[in-house]
Amino acid sequence: MNPTSGRAVSAFPMQPADRLQQLPTQFFAKLVRKANEQIAAGHDVINLGQGNPDRPTPPHIVKALQGAAENPLYHKYPPFNGYLFLKQAVAQRYLEDYGVELDPESEVAILFGGKTGLVEIAQCLLNPGDVCLVPDPGYPDYWSGVALAGARMAFMPLKESHNFLPDYDSLTSSDVDKAKLMFINYPNNPTGASANLPFYEETVRFAAKHGIVVASDFAYGAIGFEEQKPVSFLQVPGAKEVGVEFYTLSKTYNMAGWRVGFCLGNPEIVRMINLIQDHYYCSLFGGIQEAAATALTGPQDCVSELVSVYASRRSALYTELDRIGWQAKRSQGSFFTWLPVPKAYTSESFADLLLNEAKIVVAPGVGFGEHGEGYVRLGLLSSEDRLREAVRRVEALGLF
């Protein structure tokens, strides 16, 4: 009814843009809904299905924000491309951790979290009909950026038999010839696999030969196990010529809610990212930028302590999995584990069984792509006791 006239008003003929119709379905929204239904029913649910860090941001970083919030300078608009001191901070961290030299002014862009940059790079480089090489299984937000650009995805299968690394020789020549962009991600979400320098050297050669820009998603770059430090794509000579790396503070410093990320490497791509962001944003709140710089340049004990926590949780989980006979390849990095499902189940039906019968949330592998079928992803984002309890609940189902 029209509140002023009392007459019925017909629906306004509003049509969404075609690009919204092309976006992939958010598979994990359904997972969250199912888990919330069980919680609302009063069940004790162990949620191992999501990738949200469970520990707080280190206190010295929080205190840095609290102090910076009082600075009147930060109450004004920040520079469109962000403060130079934050770019210098991430360049210092890369030099200390990986021996990679970055020009803060031309080889660093500040992002509203890594996810934003992963979507933006597709907007910068892809036209409708262009091809992007995407890992399968892989982080679903790669798909979002490609869809928004109106481009086409060609999938690179990640198989256990190939250590969950793409086999470039297996890709079709038609896809490779048309590709303009490719995503790689190690330590990997969802498989927990890591990549070594020879793989990145091969990737640089492949990209240079075919004129394909590399987007290396290094979100879990701080988290490696068994004294194996993850390798940065940018450590390889020639990497900056063919691509960029996306780095984030979300996992390294438990700062997921702070939304601080970076695009690092090729100056022309960094320029494009800054250009598109000029039209979207006015950079991060200056207080957050100062606290982020504190995280990057301050003591790094909190990072090594966090990795130790994940390593202990990983050990506890796999010890229990071995005990009940659930055999799985050990994760090498990230805070995820990638576990095969029993043969009688699909990844989604097995995830539903665990939720309905054991009150455990896991992520079905098919949500990460066709080659994720046959696996479920569990996060090391709960205490060792809860992880052990989860395996005991699985054991009670009598499947292994």
Side-chain angles (χ1 to χ4, degrees), residues 253-376:
Y253 303 98
N254 288 318
M255 294 174 65
W258 298 56
R259 312 312 304 136
V260 184
F262 305 93
C263 175
L264 310 167
N266 184 276
E268 180 59 15
I269 299 172
V270 167
R271 184 193 68 79
M272 294 180 193
I273 292 286
N274 279 326
L275 175 61
I276 198 169
Q277 291 195 146
D278 282 350
H279 293 272
Y280 281 144
Y281 318 113
C282 190
S283 197
L284 298 167
F285 171 53
I288 287 180
Q289 293 192 51
E290 183 172 316
T294 296
L296 289 161
T297 61
Q300 299 299 297
D301 297 354
C302 58
V303 179
S304 56
E305 289 168 4
L306 180 65
V307 174
S308 294
V309 167
Y310 289 138
S312 294
R313 291 178 179 181
R314 171 181 176 270
S315 177
L317 176 67
Y318 281 109
T319 296
E320 287 297 288
L321 293 176
D322 288 344
R323 183 183 62 77
I324 71 170
W326 191 351
Q327 299 299 315
K329 186 179 179 70
R330 263 50 175 175
S331 58
Q332 299 169 307
S334 82
F335 49 51
F336 294 118
T337 60
W338 191 236
L339 309 180
V341 307
K343 292 183 178 180
Y345 296 88
T346 66
S347 62
E348 192 165 10
S349 68
F350 184 59
D352 285 342
L353 175 74
L354 293 184
L355 179 59
N356 295 328
E357 301 298 327
K359 310 308 175 189
I360 303 167
V361 181
V362 299
V366 72
F368 301 94
E370 177 183 338
H371 285 84
E373 184 54 76
Y375 296 86
V376 291

Side-chain angles (χ1 to χ4, degrees), residues 2 24 27 47 66 69 74 109 114 142 145 165 184 187 204 207-208 219 262 298 301-302 310 318 322 392-393:
N2 185 317
F27 183 90
N47 191 344
Q66 291 169 339
Y74 298 147
Y142 305 147
L165 299 170
I184 55 174
V204 170
F262 305 93
D301 297 354
C302 58
Y310 289 138
Y318 281 109
D322 288 344
R392 287 194 290 270
R393 292 185 188 185

Side-chain angles (χ1 to χ4, degrees), residues 52-365:
N52 202 357
D54 65 310
R55 292 171 64 85
T57 304
H60 71 284
I61 302 172
V62 176
K63 289 179 181 178
L65 174 62
Q66 291 169 339
E70 297 181 355
N71 186 344
L73 173 66
Y74 298 147
H75 302 170
K76 302 178 181 181
Y77 289 119
F80 268 79
N81 292 342
Y83 286 101
L84 180 60
F85 65 74
L86 179 53
K87 298 178 183 183
Q88 292 170 331
V90 75
Q92 176 184 327
R93 177 55 39 221
Y94 256 67
L95 182 62
E96 293 181 7
D97 285 354
Y98 307 109
V100 172
E101 293 187 3
L102 293 166
D103 181 338
E105 296 192 1
S106 66
E107 296 180 337
V108 177
I110 298 171
L111 308 171
F112 281 77
K115 171 179 175 174
T116 301
L118 295 169
V119 173
E120 288 171 345
I121 193 170
Q123 316 301 297
C124 292
L125 295 173
L126 300 177
N127 290 314
D130 286 340
V131 170
C132 179
L133 302 178
V134 180
D136 178 7
Y139 181 47
D141 283 319
Y142 305 147
W143 314 344
S144 302
V146 178
L148 286 168
R152 178 174 70 85
M153 292 188 293
F155 291 100
M156 302 184 293
L158 305 186
K159 299 180 179 180
E160 187 168 351
S161 59
H162 203 256
N163 297 315
F164 297 115
L165 299 170
D167 181 359
Y168 298 132
D169 292 335
S170 71
L171 303 178
T172 67
S173 58
S174 61
D175 285 338
V176 171
D177 291 342
K178 295 176 183 176
K180 292 178 64 178
L181 174 67
M182 65 180 291
F183 288 99
I184 55 174
N185 166 221
Y186 296 96
N188 184 257
N189 174 17
T191 69
S194 284
N196 55 21
L197 276 174
F199 167 76
Y200 285 128
E201 291 167 350
E202 179 189 9
T203 299
V204 170
R205 290 193 297 269
F206 172 77
K209 178 180 178 180
H210 298 285
I212 302 171
V213 170
V214 177
S216 169
D217 179 0
F218 202 42
Y220 303 91
I223 307 172
F225 301 120
E226 297 174 2
E227 299 183 358
Q228 296 299 310
K229 182 179 176 63
V231 175
S232 164
F233 163 73
L234 294 179
Q235 289 178 252
V236 175
K240 287 184 190 178
E241 282 69 40
V242 300
V244 290
E245 187 152 85
F246 292 93
Y247 185 71
T248 170
L249 305 193
S250 295
K251 284 76 179 180
T252 307
Y253 303 98
N254 288 318
M255 294 174 65
W258 298 56
R259 312 312 304 136
V260 184
F262 305 93
C263 175
L264 310 167
N266 184 276
E268 180 59 15
I269 299 172
V270 167
R271 184 193 68 79
M272 294 180 193
I273 292 286
N274 279 326
L275 175 61
I276 198 169
Q277 291 195 146
D278 282 350
H279 293 272
Y280 281 144
Y281 318 113
C282 190
S283 197
L284 298 167
F285 171 53
I288 287 180
Q289 293 192 51
E290 183 172 316
T294 296
L296 289 161
T297 61
Q300 299 299 297
D301 297 354
C302 58
V303 179
S304 56
E305 289 168 4
L306 180 65
V307 174
S308 294
V309 167
Y310 289 138
S312 294
R313 291 178 179 181
R314 171 181 176 270
S315 177
L317 176 67
Y318 281 109
T319 296
E320 287 297 288
L321 293 176
D322 288 344
R323 183 183 62 77
I324 71 170
W326 191 351
Q327 299 299 315
K329 186 179 179 70
R330 263 50 175 175
S331 58
Q332 299 169 307
S334 82
F335 49 51
F336 294 118
T337 60
W338 191 236
L339 309 180
V341 307
K343 292 183 178 180
Y345 296 88
T346 66
S347 62
E348 192 165 10
S349 68
F350 184 59
D352 285 342
L353 175 74
L354 293 184
L355 179 59
N356 295 328
E357 301 298 327
K359 310 308 175 189
I360 303 167
V361 181
V362 299

